[in-house]
C-alpha cells in the first residue's frame, strides 16, 4: 500500500463522515421543524380553508420513516421558498403567502434543505472518489 492509497482512503473516510454528519444534521433539523410545520399548517388552513390533500394524507410522517413521503409533505413549503412557484400539490396560488411568512417560521426550512443538499453532494463526491480509487484512475 502506497502513501497515495492511504491518503485516498483517508479522504474517502473524511468525505463519508461529512456526508453522514450533514445527513444526520438534516434529520435533526426536520425533527426540530415539526412544530414550525404545524404552525404553518394552521396559518395555511386559516388562509385557504384546507391543506393540500397530500399534506393531509402524510401529515404524521417524519423524516425517519420515509424521506420521500416527508419531502412530499413539506413540498408545499419548499417549492415557494426555493423556486418561487406554488407546489403542484396545491390548487392555491400560495407562493406569496408562504414566502411572506415570518422568518422564524421559514428560515429553519432553508437550513434543513441546505443540510440535505450538502449531505447529498458529499455522498456523490465520496462515491465518485471510490470509483476513481477502485479503477486506479489517479
Amino acid at each position: 500500500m502506497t502513501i497515495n492509497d492511504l491518503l485516498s482512503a483517508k479522504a474517502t473516510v473524511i468525505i463519508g463522515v461529512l456526508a453522514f454528519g450533514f445527513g444526520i444534521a438534516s434529520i435533526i433539523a426536520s425533527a426540530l421543524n415539526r412544530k414550525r410545520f404545524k404552525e404553518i399548517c394552521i396559518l395555511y388552513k386559516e388562509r385557504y380553508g384546507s391543506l393540500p390533500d397530500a399534506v393531509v394524507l402524510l401529515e404524521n410522517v417524519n423524516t425517519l420513516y420515509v424521506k420521500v413521503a416527508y419531502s412530499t409533505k413539506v413540498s408545499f413549503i419548499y417549492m415557494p421558498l426555493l423556486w418561487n412557484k406554488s407546489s403542484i400539490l396545491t390548487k392555491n396560488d400560495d407562493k406569496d403567502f408562504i414566502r411572506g411568512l415570518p422568518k422564524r417560521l421559514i428560515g429553519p426550512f432553508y437550513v434543513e434543505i441546505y443540510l440535505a443538499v450538502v449531505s447529498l453532494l458529499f455522498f456523490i463526491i465520496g462515491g465518485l472518489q471510490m470509483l476513481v480509487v477502485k479503477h486506479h484512475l489517479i
Side-chain angles (χ1 to χ4, degrees):
M1 185 171 249
T2 67
I3 190 74
N4 285 339
D5 292 338
L6 290 173
L7 290 174
S8 291
K10 186 176 182 179
T12 302
V13 169
I14 290 170
I15 290 170
V17 168
L18 287 171
F20 188 72
F22 279 105
I24 294 297
S26 174
I27 290 170
I28 291 169
S30 71
L32 295 173
N33 279 341
R34 277 191 218 137
K35 181 180 173 188
R36 289 175 197 88
F37 174 78
K38 290 188 184 291
E39 193 172 341
I40 290 171
C41 287
I42 290 168
L43 295 170
Y44 193 93
K45 281 192 240 181
E46 288 174 0
R47 173 78 180 259
Y48 295 104
S50 66
L51 291 169
D53 294 337
V55 176
V56 173
L57 180 67
L58 302 169
E59 193 166 355
N60 293 319
V61 172
N62 68 37
T63 278
L64 296 177
Y65 297 141
V66 181
K67 188 70 174 173
V68 173
Y70 176 78
S71 297
T72 302
K73 175 179 92 168
V74 295
S75 73
F76 86 103
I77 297 171
Y78 286 143
M79 289 294 290
L81 295 180
L82 299 177
W83 289 283
N84 199 23
K85 294 181 180 179
S86 292
S87 170
I88 61 170
L89 302 175
T90 181
K91 299 172 191 124
N92 304 315
D93 185 18
D94 56 7
K95 67 178 171 57
D96 292 331
F97 170 74
I98 297 291
R99 293 179 71 85
L101 290 170
K103 296 289 184 214
R104 69 174 182 78
L105 288 177
I106 60 174
F109 285 96
Y110 282 115
V111 172
E112 179 183 342
I113 196 71
Y114 291 140
L115 288 171
V117 168
V118 170
S119 173
L120 179 63
L121 289 175
F122 274 118
F123 273 115
I124 290 169
I125 292 167
L128 291 173
Q129 183 180 8
M130 288 191 293
L131 285 172
V132 167
V133 169
K134 179 179 178 182
H135 296 290
H136 304 290
L137 298 175
I138 293 181

